[in-house]
Amino acid sequence: MKTGKVFLIGAGPGDPKLITIKGMEAIKKADLIVYDYLASKSLLSYGKDGAEIIYVGKMGGRHTLSQEKINELIVKKAKEGKIIARLKGGDPFIFGRGGEEAEELATAGIPFEIIPGVTAAIACPAYAGIPLTHRDYTSTVAFITGHEDPAKEDSSIAWEKISTGIGTLVFFMGMSNLPEIVKNLIRFGRDPMTPVALIRWGTRPDQKTVIGTLNDIIDKSNKHALAPPVIIVVGEVVNLRKKLNWFEEKPLFGRKIIVTRAREQASDFAELLYLNGAEPIEFPTIQVIPPDSWDELDKAIDEIRGFEWIIFTSVNGVRYFFERLNRKGDLRLLHGIKICAIGPQTATEIQGHGLIADLIPKEYRAEAIIEEMGREGIAGKSMLLPRAEIAREILPQELSRMGARVKVVTAYKTIKPVEDLEMVRGLLKNKEISAITFTSSSTVRNFLEMFNKEEVRELIDGTAVACIGPITAKTAEDLGIRTDIMPSKYTMPNLTEAIVKYFSKGGCK
């Protein structure tokens, strides 16, 4: 059997967007992904279908596998012919034992590549607003293990040299040894008033930074109950945080926000929340799938020349309609047919298929379509409405009442997934969620159905509820849920803006 290959990949410090392009390419083609505790789990979603995933994390002395067993695993799997993405937090060659794993691979004759990563030593201080070097402060920096046993008689760290000989000191894995680190630095000449930063979970939305001096940092760390993983930065550059703290100043920093949209549509909204500093928790309460049969939609497309209007009330309706249209012909089949989109996002999806909507109502809901169509003079007009299997009936009913001939066809259906339920229940129970977002009536109903009626109101008490528009808010109200946040325009950017505004004004402190 042909021998496989191992990519030793630096997965970055926590923010999954700090993965390198080369690292991402290796993940996408791997047959097996072996990942550590500090590698972001979200990177696993980029693996190809069918890729095997194995967790080998080490945390606080609790090892899933010993380093020797990890070495044996990747050698064994590579000898089976597999392409392996070995994901290691930060950079594999900076306190990541990547050198040890590479040695084992070289000894076994296994082809490998090293893909460097963004090390926590530079990323965490950067996200805390601390430059490790600055010409007004220092031109020297050192990376040091803080994990060395303080009981060792002969330290491998030259404390007498680094204490005063290096401007900025960055310690990895040093929280448990913080008293010993402080004692040695002061003992060998470092000024007790030297600034110190402790950065926990740097680059992530739950990043926490504690600032002090060598004199008081132990007391401050105890006060804040900091636990690993923490990067320790010692040096005058820490003072620059007062001016350069950018990440923790984002308007939604530190807030976990549940996104209930279907997974296929959640990423854009989650990205908007992320850019404002939030940690989006994707918890889709609906899943969009094809209808049980395409016959209804296909028949309508076969008869498409008989329609004068096509009305799209969702992005999903557009996607599935054009998927079936492209199987039967091309855009020329729609020549002369007018197109209505319920809102700008639906219109953008239509434009992505090469067409421009003729009508977009000023208010993005069915009632506004009815009002706009009333001005068009639609009596006797034939209209096609490709939509979800279950939807509000007001649109076809009112259009028919105005004299239009409306053909409603099922373009897709939604079902209720149940993944991550216990994880979300735990976050709500511990009051870790700042807001829950609903973007349709279905997301509200399905969310509430996932929990016991007796518990759900207690779970969401103190958590802001954000609804995309009045129809969704009305559904929430009918089910006994108040709406705290609703934008004036019913789009994801406007919903994000409304959430930012709400919390900026002190909502749900």
Side-chain angles (χ1 to χ4, degrees):
M1 182 180 293
K2 183 180 177 181
T3 301
K5 185 173 184 177
V6 177
F7 292 91
L8 293 172
I9 305 167
D15 183 343
K17 290 182 179 293
L18 293 179
I19 187 80
T20 64
I21 294 174
K22 190 170 184 179
M24 183 63 78
E25 290 172 347
I27 292 170
K28 289 180 178 179
K29 66 185 177 185
D31 303 309
L32 167 64
I33 301 173
V34 180
Y35 73 103
D36 281 345
Y37 171 59
L38 293 177
S40 173
K41 280 189 177 181
S42 64
L43 295 174
L44 304 178
S45 65
Y46 295 98
K48 67 182 182 181
D49 290 343
E52 184 181 2
I53 296 174
I54 299 177
Y55 173 64
V56 295
K58 308 183 188 78
M59 179 179 64
R62 300 190 301 275
H63 295 184
T64 308
L65 287 180
S66 66
Q67 187 60 53
E68 290 72 21
K69 292 295 183 182
I70 294 172
N71 296 344
E72 291 175 11
L73 172 69
I74 58 177
V75 168
K76 176 178 178 291
K77 293 291 186 178
K79 285 184 175 180
E80 293 173 4
K82 295 183 183 296
I83 301 298
I84 301 171
R86 173 69 175 103
L87 281 181
K88 304 180 72 65
D91 179 271
F93 275 13
I94 299 182
F95 299 117
R97 293 194 171 182
E100 297 174 37
E101 293 180 17
E103 281 188 291
E104 290 293 325
L105 294 168
T107 300
I110 305 295
F112 65 90
E113 285 189 26
I114 310 299
I115 301 180
V118 179
T119 173
I122 59 173
C124 297
Y127 271 56
I130 301 170
L132 296 184
T133 63
H134 190 290
R135 65 180 181 174
D136 293 336
Y137 291 86
T138 183
S139 298
T140 57
V141 60
F143 301 159
I144 308 148
T145 178
H147 199 53
E148 186 180 70
D149 184 355
K152 283 174 62 176
E153 291 186 8
D154 298 317
S155 173
S156 60
I157 300 172
W159 293 101
E160 72 282 5
K161 295 179 180 178
I162 68 167
S163 294
T164 57
I166 303 293
T168 304
L169 305 175
V170 182
F171 291 88
F172 288 73
M173 307 166 290
M175 275 309 294
S176 60
N177 288 337
L178 182 62
E180 195 71 16
I181 292 170
V182 168
K183 183 183 80 173
N184 279 322
L185 290 176
I186 294 175
R187 175 188 172 194
F188 286 101
R190 197 76 173 211
D191 186 343
M193 296 307 293
T194 301
V196 180
L198 307 178
I199 309 163
R200 184 173 192 267
W201 283 124
T203 79
R204 297 188 356 163
D206 52 349
Q207 172 177 303
K208 184 173 184 178
T209 307
V210 174
I211 301 296
T213 65
L214 287 174
N215 226 14
D216 62 15
I217 196 63
I218 297 172
D219 289 339
K220 287 188 174 182
S221 70
N222 292 335
K223 178 181 177 182
H224 290 275
L226 282 189
V230 172
I231 286 288
I232 304 169
V233 184
V234 179
E236 298 301 324
V237 289
V238 171
N239 286 328
L240 287 165
R241 171 177 161 82
K242 298 171 187 174
K243 182 185 283 188
L244 305 182
N245 180 19
W246 61 276
F247 182 56
E248 294 171 37
E249 294 299 316
K250 289 190 173 188
L252 296 178
F253 175 78
R255 297 192 180 276
K256 292 183 173 73
I257 298 179
I258 291 178
V259 177
T260 58
R261 293 192 95 190
R263 197 171 297 282
E264 299 86 350
Q265 296 173 283
S267 58
D268 289 346
F269 182 34
E271 176 71 5
L272 290 170
L273 295 172
Y274 165 86
L275 290 173
N276 281 281
E279 180 179 356
I281 307 295
E282 292 193 25
F283 180 55
T285 59
I286 61 173
Q287 181 180 349
V288 179
I289 62 173
D292 294 333
S293 170
W294 291 114
D295 292 347
E296 195 176 52
L297 181 56
D298 286 348
K299 187 174 186 297
I301 292 174
D302 289 338
E303 300 169 353
I304 200 71
R305 301 303 306 161
F307 295 101
E308 292 158 281
W309 278 92
I310 304 175
I311 302 174
F312 292 106
T313 56
S314 71
V315 168
N316 291 316
V318 176
R319 289 174 180 167
Y320 281 103
F321 174 84
F322 280 96
E323 178 183 321
R324 300 309 294 180
L325 177 72
N326 292 335
R327 291 172 179 264
K328 290 179 166 290
D330 56 33
L331 292 179
R332 287 173 293 184
L333 292 173
L334 305 183
H335 176 70
I337 301 174
K338 291 186 176 182
I339 295 176
C340 172
I342 196 168
Q345 287 180 296
T346 303
T348 299
E349 185 69 23
I350 292 169
Q351 192 169 359
H353 292 278
L355 296 172
I356 296 176
D358 298 281
L359 176 62
I360 307 172
K362 292 179 181 178
E363 194 174 355
Y364 316 139
R365 54 179 180 153
E367 287 82 352
I369 293 179
I370 295 164
E371 186 178 338
E372 296 279 353
M373 284 291 184
R375 299 191 187 103
E376 293 281 329
I378 61 172
K381 302 289 186 182
S382 181
M383 301 183 167
L384 177 63
L385 177 53
R387 65 176 196 177
E389 183 179 50
I390 299 173
R392 298 172 69 217
E393 294 300 330
I394 186 172
L395 184 56
Q397 286 175 355
E398 288 300 308
L399 294 177
S400 297
R401 189 182 61 79
M402 290 189 290
R405 301 191 305 275
V406 183
K407 176 72 172 178
V408 178
V409 297
T410 299
Y412 64 96
K413 60 188 290 189
T414 61
I415 60 173
K416 182 171 60 180
V418 293
E419 57 190 83
D420 297 329
L421 178 59
E422 290 308 313
M423 179 268 290
V424 169
R425 178 182 273 114
L427 291 173
L428 288 168
K429 190 173 182 179
N430 294 332
K431 302 303 176 186
E432 296 180 51
I433 299 297
S434 296
I436 305 169
T437 63
F438 297 113
T439 54
S440 68
S441 294
S442 296
T443 59
V444 179
R445 285 191 294 266
N446 290 355
F447 179 87
L448 295 178
E449 288 173 5
M450 288 178 173
F451 299 92
N452 298 327
K453 290 182 179 179
E454 297 75 22
E455 70 169 344
V456 69
R457 284 168 183 79
E458 182 181 341
L459 285 174
I460 68 174
D461 181 51
T463 300
V465 173
C467 289
I468 187 69
I471 302 301
T472 305
K474 180 64 166 58
T475 301
E477 181 185 352
D478 291 344
L479 294 170
I481 304 299
R482 80 204 178 292
T483 295
D484 303 290
I485 304 166
M486 188 178 75
S488 56
K489 293 184 178 180
Y490 320 137
T491 67
M492 295 303 115
N494 288 107
L495 179 57
T496 305
E497 185 179 333
I499 293 170
V500 168
K501 186 176 181 180
Y502 176 80
F503 285 112
S504 296
K505 290 185 175 181
C508 279
K509 287 186 177 178

